[in-house]
Amino acid sequence: MPLPLIGITMGDPTGIGPEIIVKALAKGESFQACRPVIFGDEGVLLRTVKSLGIGVSVEVCDRIPKERYAPRIIYLLRSSQLNAGSLQIGKPD
């Protein structure tokens, strides 16, 4: 039986959500319990990956993938297209 599919929203793009997602999905524990898919903004997530210096790949999808769920691969379904460069982390806008 396949692991359950879990959708995770990124939350506030200027908050801690994107950082928690990247750090959690870089490790293997989450993938032992579920198949995670992130809903959020590509630019924000890519900026977070770069700022943390964690080697993960962000794969933007139009549909929920059926396989290849593994640590360091983040599947993202875009729910916004923000100008990530204009956002100030820690300052709600």
Side-chain angles (χ1 to χ4, degrees):
M1 178 191 302
L3 293 172
L5 185 64
I6 302 292
I8 304 167
T9 60
M10 192 179 299
D12 183 342
T14 63
I16 196 167
E19 182 179 340
I20 291 172
I21 288 168
V22 171
K23 287 179 177 179
L25 297 185
K27 298 180 180 185
E29 292 88 1
S30 301
F31 296 91
Q32 294 172 8
C34 69
R35 298 174 293 151
V37 176
I38 306 305
F39 292 84
D41 187 83
E42 179 182 9
V44 170
L45 193 57
L46 290 173
R47 181 177 76 173
T48 303
V49 168
K50 184 177 179 180
S51 72
L52 293 173
I54 296 176
V56 299
S57 70
V58 176
E59 297 192 22
V60 179
C61 309
D62 293 327
R63 285 185 258 152
I64 295 174
K66 293 186 181 188
E67 52 189 37
R68 267 197 61 212
Y69 289 87
R72 300 194 178 273
I73 298 174
I74 299 175
Y75 288 122
L76 174 73
L77 290 170
R78 265 189 238 140
S79 61
S80 66
Q81 291 184 327
L82 302 171
N83 179 356
S86 70
L87 300 173
Q88 295 182 10
I89 303 301
K91 298 192 180 201
D93 187 357

